[in-house]
Amino acid sequence: MDKNSIIGLSIIGLLIVGYSIFTQPSKEELAAARHKQDSIAALQVQEKAMDTIQQTAVVPVNASDSSLSIPNDSILQTMKNNSSVISMKQRMARSNY
């Protein structure tokens, strides 16, 4: 290796180090990215809890004939006279976000 090769390689190394230092995100950008990820995670937990509540909700349809309606994300199941046989299924409207 001669003198010019050593100088060239050291300049290339300095350019790589300088570029990596110059392009790293600031503390404000890191905090904003962390806040965004935390918000997304909290929203996902909240949506999961709401889905669980929706899937387990039992709503009485009519108290006189003791029918129960069990809503799900895609169908509404109705059971009559407290039997375990599902007497009616209805498709529920789904909204795509």
Side-chain angles (χ1 to χ4, degrees), residues 11-23:
I11 288 175
I12 290 172
L14 287 173
L15 285 173
I16 291 172
V17 169
Y19 179 77
S20 66
I21 291 172
F22 183 72
T23 58

Side-chain angles (χ1 to χ4, degrees), residues 3 21 23 28 35 39-40 43 48-49 59 76 80 82 93:
K3 181 179 167 183
I21 291 172
T23 58
E28 292 84 18
H35 177 69
S39 297
I40 291 171
L43 182 62
K48 193 176 209 180
V59 181
L76 175 69
K80 294 190 177 198
N82 293 331

Side-chain angles (χ1 to χ4, degrees), residues 82-96:
N82 293 331
S83 66
S84 61
V85 178
I86 297 173
S87 60
M88 183 177 75
K89 288 186 180 181
Q90 287 180 321
R91 287 202 168 271
M92 296 176 66
R94 294 187 73 175
S95 60
N96 295 330

Side-chain angles (χ1 to χ4, degrees), residues 16-60:
I16 291 172
V17 169
Y19 179 77
S20 66
I21 291 172
F22 183 72
T23 58
Q24 69 183 358
S26 66
K27 291 181 181 179
E28 292 84 18
E29 291 172 334
L30 289 173
R34 189 176 307 115
H35 177 69
K36 184 178 178 181
Q37 290 295 330
D38 291 343
S39 297
I40 291 171
L43 182 62
Q44 288 173 344
V45 167
Q46 184 180 10
E47 285 178 351
K48 193 176 209 180
M50 290 301 291
D51 286 344
T52 304
I53 290 171
Q54 273 185 337
Q55 289 175 357
T56 59
V58 175
V59 181

